[in-house]
Amino acid sequence: MELRFYNTLSRRIEPFEPLEPGRVRMYHCGPTVYQRPHIGNYRAFLFADLLRRVFEARGYEVLQVMNITDVGHLVADADDGEDKLQAQAEKERIDPWELVERVSAEFFADLEALGVRPAHHYPRATQHIPEMVELVRRLLATGHAYRVGDNVYFDVHSFPGYGRLSGNRVEDLEAGARLEPNPEKRHPADFALWKSDPHHLMKWETEFGPHGFPGWHVECSAMAMKYLGESFDIHTGGEDNVFPHHECEIAQSEGATGQPFVRLWMHTKFLQVDGGKMSKSLGNVWNLDDLAERGFSPLDYRFFVLRAHYRGSLNFTWDALAGAREARRALNDLRGRLAAAAAGAAPGRAPVVERARTDFAAALADDLNTSAAVAALFELRNAFLRDGLEPAGAAAALDFLVEEADAQLGFLDPTAAVGPSDEEVEALLAERAEARAARDFARADAIRDRLQRAGIVLEDSPDGVRWHRS
RNA sequence: GCCGGCAUAGCCAAGUGGUAAGGCAAGGGAUUGCAAAUCCCUCACCCCCAGUUCGAAUCUGGGUGCCGGCUCCA
């Protein structure tokens, strides 16, 4: 099944072809670690993980890089030296480096809880100052950059492709600029590659001056090229990154190397909350702890995100999250039921399983239509619950659910490491049956509760008790 | 002001020319010692207006609303 993805650059869905057969190299814009990422941030990171898993499921060797921005970008692209990281550090009266460590740890803990497979590299901006300086030097050499005192700017007029990704025109940018014009720049749309400010806490002495720090686009270009090469396959980020960030990255990278930077640009739509934008003033900027307080696991959130298409709007409400939790529970339950029905049989052929497999793969191949992919899982669940499956068919369904569906979507709960053996369960069930026959319901219910806590789901039916592991 | 996207049931969300996937919630019924789970049944003409077409949720034009970019932001 051929993979097809929407490319922001071409504004169309195109077949995917890696630069090197069988190998995918991709870069994801990661967090700025000045405060714990919220659920909106994780929509983009979960998307990156989905992409990686989809490639791996198809046998690609994936090289994945996500940057950690640990140096402040300017609050405004002006001359005042304050940045978010520094501002937050000052607010908390701690060292910026300490803030970076704390938030990074929170970020990685969140990723793990969300079931995100670790990227191969998480480069930090501050550890790549030499690479950034080198990039700036190359841009000066190729005539794409100019120096004013200790500052260096990129000259957008020197790069004819500037605006191609975002659809902006340099002339319109000038007209719409709300910033105070920076008299140092030749054109208002020119952007800083290297800035200098003696008051900055995070600063480096370089050939451009004693108190410099990188402009806010160079890090991604420098680090992406270091780990992935001057040309690579995919670059992702939130829709807000399209302009100016990614537009500037293209200009910088291609201006320096003369090579195409990235083939495929993919962007996720912002998460909305209660039908509008998430904002601190509305008090709806939630993080994973806020979800946990209301009884939702990180995987519930992961599944909530995966039920929608990454390019479509997704509206977060507590009701919607509850719906996702319930749906996820049903699929976890399906795994247990299939395991019980398979009874150790070897996987065989079953039409409903084949159909689910085909529909699921086709949905993901079609620009990652996870919504339709999940629907295929429920079709399988409904068919199984309604008509049942022979052990071989159930085994095939289980194999598909775990090894294909969950391998790519990653929403199933980890299976219990230990639990009662089948014999123990059967013994307890026999004991419960005796108690029920004697109308000792207190004792019967106690056994039921005990089994439930051990992850055993009982089903009383007219034909007797059936059970499966959750 | 300039660019771009979206608008589907109570909630979340697929579908982009041939007559509305899936999930949650809800209601009715079956089953049950109670409960849970499960089974059967019910539940949308797709924001508004005007067009194109044999036929539109799907195309065009105009509204309205929300979101993004032009300014740190996934």
Side-chain angles (χ1 to χ4, degrees):
Chain A
M1 185 77 60
E2 178 186 62
L3 291 171
R4 294 156 53 82
F5 300 119
Y6 180 84
N7 191 345
T8 306
L9 194 56
S10 64
R11 290 174 182 72
R12 62 205 318 167
I13 292 178
E14 14 182 89
F16 176 73
E17 269 182 61
L19 287 165
E20 284 177 61
R23 192 150 182 257
V24 181
R25 287 171 285 161
M26 54 186 184
Y27 186 90
H28 314 288
C29 280
T32 299
V33 284
Y34 73 106
Q35 64 175 20
R36 179 164 175 194
H38 51 68
I39 57 174
N41 298 115
Y42 286 116
R43 184 179 192 193
F45 305 146
L46 285 167
F47 167 71
D49 186 53
L50 170 69
L51 249 189
R52 185 251 184 87
R53 285 166 174 262
V54 165
F55 282 124
E56 288 184 341
R58 283 164 177 71
Y60 285 93
E61 180 196 336
V62 177
L63 180 59
Q64 192 181 31
V65 177
M66 177 179 282
N67 68 299
I68 301 292
T69 298
D70 62 350
V71 58
H73 295 146
L74 293 174
V75 165
D77 195 9
D79 284 331
D80 49 6
E82 196 181 44
D83 69 61
K84 280 197 301 193
L85 237 158
Q86 182 159 327
Q88 182 65 28
E90 282 169 357
K91 194 171 145 195
E92 297 190 25
R93 294 174 180 281
I94 57 174
D95 187 271
W97 301 98
E98 195 181 326
L99 179 67
V100 162
E101 288 312 313
R102 191 192 75 211
V103 175
S104 298
E106 290 169 345
F107 172 63
F108 286 118
D110 283 350
L111 285 187
E112 188 177 357
L114 286 165
V116 171
R117 292 183 183 166
H120 303 87
H121 299 284
Y122 288 101
R124 295 188 178 202
T126 57
Q127 289 166 7
H128 296 77
I129 299 296
E131 287 85 349
M132 293 186 230
V133 170
E134 172 59 25
L135 182 64
V136 176
R137 194 183 291 138
R138 285 173 81 177
L139 287 166
L140 283 165
T142 53
H144 288 290
Y146 56 94
R147 189 168 168 181
V148 181
D150 289 349
N151 297 330
V152 184
Y153 297 98
F154 187 92
D155 175 8
V156 296
H157 283 290
S158 75
F159 189 77
Y162 192 81
R164 203 173 135 224
L165 180 71
S166 60
N168 284 316
R169 286 187 301 266
V170 172
E171 314 84 73
D172 294 337
L173 291 172
E174 182 166 18
R178 284 194 228 160
L179 289 172
E180 290 294 310
N182 177 345
E184 286 191 356
K185 294 182 181 178
R186 292 182 190 166
H187 186 278
D190 288 354
F191 55 91
L193 295 169
W194 196 262
K195 296 285 285 186
S196 289
D197 178 356
H199 302 300
H200 234 242
L201 295 179
M202 299 170 116
K203 60 186 182 182
W204 291 266
E205 180 170 356
T206 69
E207 65 197 71
F208 308 120
H211 307 292
F213 56 96
W216 63 282
H217 310 300
V218 272
E219 64 166 284
C220 285
S221 290
M223 298 192 295
M225 291 197 277
K226 173 173 181 180
Y227 293 96
L228 298 170
E230 295 187 347
S231 293
F232 57 95
D233 298 295
I234 304 176
H235 195 128
T236 78
E239 59 177 327
D240 57 313
N241 281 154
V242 175
F243 190 89
H245 189 51
H246 290 163
E247 192 74 81
C248 294
E249 273 188 59
I250 294 172
Q252 285 171 343
S253 306
E254 300 191 354
T257 68
Q259 303 294 317
F261 181 45
V262 169
R263 277 205 162 177
L264 174 60
W265 290 88
M266 301 179 82
H267 296 92
T268 53
K269 192 94 171 161
F270 262 29
L271 179 75
Q272 288 184 235
V273 175
D274 298 328
K277 123 200 235 182
M278 138 184 336
S279 79
K280 279 187 182 163
S281 59
L282 290 173
N284 59 14
V285 182
W286 312 113
N287 63 34
L288 293 184
D289 281 346
D290 296 318
L291 267 54
E293 275 174 26
R294 304 216 190 188
F296 296 101
S297 78
L299 289 180
D300 290 332
Y301 180 68
R302 180 182 179 109
F303 191 63
F304 166 78
V305 167
L306 256 22
R307 288 209 306 165
H309 186 75
Y310 74 94
R311 281 191 293 116
S313 59
L314 170 59
N315 188 24
F316 178 91
T317 63
W318 292 107
D319 278 352
L321 184 60
R325 173 175 58 189
E326 196 50 37
R328 193 175 75 86
R329 187 207 58 72
L331 292 175
N332 271 310
D333 179 71
L334 174 64
R335 174 179 59 186
R337 287 173 188 276
L338 288 172
R349 282 185 53 85
V352 287
V353 179
E354 294 309 310
R355 190 164 62 241
R357 206 185 284 277
T358 304
D359 290 350
F360 185 86
L364 286 185
D366 180 20
D367 195 30
L368 303 170
N369 190 340
T370 49
S371 192
V374 170
L377 301 182
F378 275 94
E379 297 284 7
L380 174 63
R381 178 174 189 267
N382 293 338
F384 168 65
L385 290 174
R386 188 180 57 242
D387 307 324
L389 278 170
E390 295 301 308
L398 181 64
D399 185 64
F400 160 67
L401 180 66
V402 174
E403 302 302 331
E404 278 182 58
D406 191 53
Q408 293 178 84
L409 302 184
F411 57 90
L412 290 178
D413 284 327
T415 41
V418 288
S421 67
D422 288 6
E423 292 70 29
E424 287 167 328
V425 173
E426 295 291 355
L428 284 166
L429 286 180
E431 201 180 322
R432 174 168 176 261
E434 256 177 52
R436 292 181 74 197
R439 302 193 71 76
D440 181 356
F441 296 120
R443 188 165 148 239
D445 290 352
I447 294 170
R448 181 171 69 194
D449 291 345
R450 185 175 153 193
L451 285 167
Q452 197 168 41
R453 280 194 300 274
I456 306 298
V457 179
L458 302 193
E459 275 185 78
D460 288 323
S461 78
D463 310 324
V465 184
R466 286 193 297 265
W467 67 276
H468 65 267
R469 297 172 194 281
S470 64

